[in-house]
Amino acid sequence: MPRSILFSLLFLHSLWLLSQSNELRDALRNYQYNEVLMLLESEPSTRENLQLKAHCYEKLYSYTSALNIYKLLVDEYPDDANLVISMAECASQAGNSPLSLQCWIVADSLSPENQFIQTQKAMALYRNDNWKQAIEQAKVVFETDSVPHLLRMVGDAYLYSSEADSAIWYYCQAIAKNPADYLAVNKLGNIYLGAKFYDAAINLTRTYLENINPGQPLIGQLNGMAHYSAGNYREATQRLKENIILGDSSYTTCYYLGMSLYASKLYYEAVNWLEKAYNQNSTDINLLYYYGTALSRTYDRKRGIEVLTEGVEMIEKMNGMLFDFDRSFADAYMRSKNYNKAIQYFQSAYKRNPDTHSLLYNMGYCYESVKDYKNAVTYYERFLKTAPEGWDADQGNLVDGGTGSPSSTDRLYRYVAQHLERLKEELFFQSPGNRGKE
């Protein structure tokens, strides 16, 4: 809260205390906020009393109750910027980010050129995922002052907008203003790591660890990860062991320490840390492979086989899920009449599960929809070849139409058999040498 606002509230509070009973003053001075609220029930609902009520509710973490009072006050005194600011901060604490943003916008209109309000407005836009507006609002603040934490926030906004180059620039500016900002160092280091700029990530994190705080576990972990990714397994092992000493037993640290030891062929040591990682997360395919392999190369080959089997079963399950995703994507694109995209996903789904014969029909239908009759005929014919043994297209009634969903697979086969003849005629007349013939 700005110092001027704090002084105003303290001044009002002092005036209020002069007019209250000793019982109420004592309760407030002893931080007995529930008692203060009970005593205020018998007091008139003046502005000062309502503000004090809101203050007590906030101290009791009852932000929704406090917010209801601020709403009443702001409705009565809409031009009071201090009240609007208090409501904005309370709304944020209550988890109502949209209302908080509205309040900061109002406060900005009531008190233009106020850097504190402009900064908080930018932060509120950011909390509401309005990345572009947050960036523009922050740039207004930067015209008069480069607030370090706001520089990092803009970096985050650019990162979430998939503009990594701009994010890098702002993270660098944030670190230049405040070298101790480990969050900015971590975000920038992760960008370098993701882009495979391993030396840049190593230098960035080493500079922080050597000059700022050698015991910062998040940066130490990132340094170890960067060394591992760069193939510096000994350095990675040393750094990550230091993190362990600092009390960091997170999955990421255990995993990369185990992997660094594995890459150094120190399988017995690797098993210890990969097991700790496994106990925290047994769903990582890579971990299952390397943990199982390390076990098989040491003392517990039976357990190694069990872990490797877990990995195989998980891959099989994932393949099944990927088939479902491909088919759902294909169906969505087909319904959106984006047939070329639908064909790509139908083909991917068919590769995963060639026994799903209806996919051949779907691909034929999509090719026909884009007037690629040659491929349409090919896929319809492939579909007909999957018909049950002894099936006869001449038996029974043929389905008329074809863009709908036939009631059974048998009816679909009959429709395709009938429709294929007409489509072959269309393909014949589509050929350059046959155009114009009847």
Side-chain angles (χ1 to χ4, degrees):
M1 181 177 292
R3 185 171 296 182
S4 60
I5 297 173
L6 181 61
F7 284 164
S8 298
L9 291 177
L10 290 174
F11 176 69
L12 288 171
H13 184 213
S14 298
L15 291 177
W16 179 87
L17 280 176
L18 291 174
S19 63
Q20 302 306 313
S21 65
N22 289 333
E23 185 181 12
L24 207 154
R25 288 202 303 269
D26 289 343
L28 187 62
R29 284 169 177 165
N30 290 318
Y31 311 110
Q32 297 172 317
Y33 299 114
N34 281 315
E35 182 72 18
V36 173
L37 288 170
M38 290 177 60
L39 293 170
L40 283 172
E41 289 299 319
S42 59
E43 298 292 333
S45 297
T46 63
R47 172 176 174 169
E48 291 76 16
N49 285 345
L50 288 172
Q51 283 186 261
L52 185 59
K53 273 189 176 183
H55 171 73
C56 290
Y57 278 125
E58 288 181 287
K59 288 296 183 181
L60 293 168
Y61 307 107
S62 298
Y63 296 111
T64 301
S65 298
L67 188 57
N68 290 332
I69 295 174
Y70 283 126
K71 287 177 180 177
L72 293 173
L73 288 167
V74 170
D75 285 344
E76 188 171 355
Y77 305 100
D79 296 328
D80 190 321
N82 290 344
L83 274 178
V84 176
I85 289 172
S86 295
M87 181 174 170
E89 293 175 335
C90 184
S92 180
Q93 292 289 344
N96 193 337
S97 295
L99 178 58
S100 179
L101 173 58
Q102 292 176 21
C103 291
W104 286 117
I105 292 173
V106 171
D108 188 30
S109 67
L110 293 172
S111 184
E113 310 300 325
N114 185 308
Q115 187 180 23
F116 170 78
I117 293 175
Q118 290 177 342
T119 301
Q120 293 304 312
K121 180 181 173 183
M123 298 295 292
L125 286 164
Y126 172 81
R127 284 192 291 270
N128 280 272
D129 299 341
N130 297 334
W131 315 128
K132 184 176 181 180
Q133 294 180 52
I135 291 168
E136 295 305 316
Q137 178 62 35
K139 288 180 179 178
V140 173
V141 178
F142 295 152
E143 291 175 0
T144 55
D145 190 13
S146 53
V147 183
H149 74 272
L150 202 57
L151 287 166
R152 186 204 331 132
M153 184 213 76
V154 173
D156 290 344
Y158 273 120
L159 184 62
Y160 297 142
S161 301
S162 300
E163 298 183 44
D165 289 344
S166 295
I168 289 172
W169 191 87
Y170 276 97
Y171 286 138
C172 288
Q173 293 300 308
I175 295 168
K177 287 286 182 180
N178 179 18
D181 186 353
Y182 74 94
L183 292 175
V185 172
N186 183 58
K187 291 288 182 66
L188 180 58
N190 273 293
I191 292 177
Y192 287 153
L193 197 60
K196 299 184 179 180
F197 299 154
Y198 303 133
D199 288 343
I202 291 170
N203 291 334
L204 175 70
T205 52
R206 182 176 59 215
T207 298
Y208 180 93
L209 293 168
E210 291 179 351
N211 300 324
I212 305 297
N213 182 5
Q216 215 301 319
L218 194 62
I219 305 305
Q221 181 189 85
L222 184 58
N223 181 265
M225 292 166 61
H227 273 299
Y228 169 80
S229 300
N232 306 329
Y233 304 124
R234 184 172 63 180
E235 291 84 350
T237 298
Q238 180 181 347
R239 169 51 61 186
L240 293 168
K241 281 185 175 180
E242 290 178 14
N243 257 42
I244 295 292
I245 293 171
L246 291 170
D248 174 18
S249 58
S250 64
Y251 169 82
T252 300
T253 294
C254 291
Y255 173 79
Y256 277 96
L257 176 53
M259 291 298 293
S260 298
L261 291 164
Y262 180 97
S264 302
K265 299 183 179 181
L266 301 172
Y267 301 121
Y268 284 92
E269 287 187 71
V271 163
N272 180 46
W273 297 106
L274 292 176
E275 181 180 21
K276 292 181 185 298
Y278 174 87
N279 289 335
Q280 296 182 59
N281 178 13
S282 60
T283 62
D284 187 323
I285 294 294
N286 287 328
L287 170 62
L288 292 174
Y289 171 75
Y290 287 106
Y291 177 38
T293 304
L295 283 166
S296 69
R297 293 180 181 179
T298 55
Y299 53 86
D300 198 344
R301 295 173 180 83
K302 181 179 178 181
R303 177 58 181 152
I305 292 171
E306 291 175 353
V307 173
L308 290 171
T309 301
E310 286 181 38
V312 170
E313 291 174 350
M314 192 170 297
I315 290 171
E316 290 175 348
K317 182 179 179 181
M318 288 176 63
N319 283 336
M321 292 178 65
L322 288 173
F323 167 77
D324 292 334
F325 273 99
D326 279 342
R327 189 166 56 177
S328 294
F329 270 122
D331 183 66
Y333 279 119
M334 185 170 68
R335 292 175 184 273
S336 303
K337 297 185 178 181
N338 188 342
Y339 298 111
N340 289 322
K341 201 74 174 176
I343 289 168
Q344 292 178 23
Y345 280 101
F346 278 131
Q347 288 174 337
S348 178
Y350 187 73
K351 287 178 182 178
R352 297 184 193 282
N353 189 354
D355 293 330
T356 310
H357 303 143
S358 61
L359 297 175
L360 294 169
Y361 167 79
N362 290 334
M363 284 186 273
Y365 172 76
C366 289
Y367 276 119
E368 183 180 357
S369 299
V370 296
K371 301 187 185 305
D372 185 346
Y373 299 125
K374 182 178 180 180
N375 275 314
V377 167
T378 298
Y379 279 96
Y380 282 147
E381 288 179 337
R382 288 178 63 185
F383 173 68
L384 285 178
K385 289 179 181 178
T386 67
E389 186 177 352
W391 176 83
D392 187 353
D394 294 329
Q395 295 178 1
N397 296 324
L398 297 176
V399 179
D400 190 19
T403 57
S405 299
S407 59
S408 69
T409 303
D410 184 63
R411 293 180 65 197
L412 182 57
Y413 281 124
R414 295 183 186 283
Y415 161 70
V416 172
Q418 179 190 38
H419 183 64
L420 192 56
E421 297 303 318
R422 295 199 298 266
L423 199 60
K424 286 180 178 178
E425 291 179 8
E426 185 69 34
L427 179 60
F428 174 79
F429 289 112
Q430 190 184 58
S431 300
N434 296 319
R435 288 175 183 168
K437 293 183 181 181
E438 295 189 6

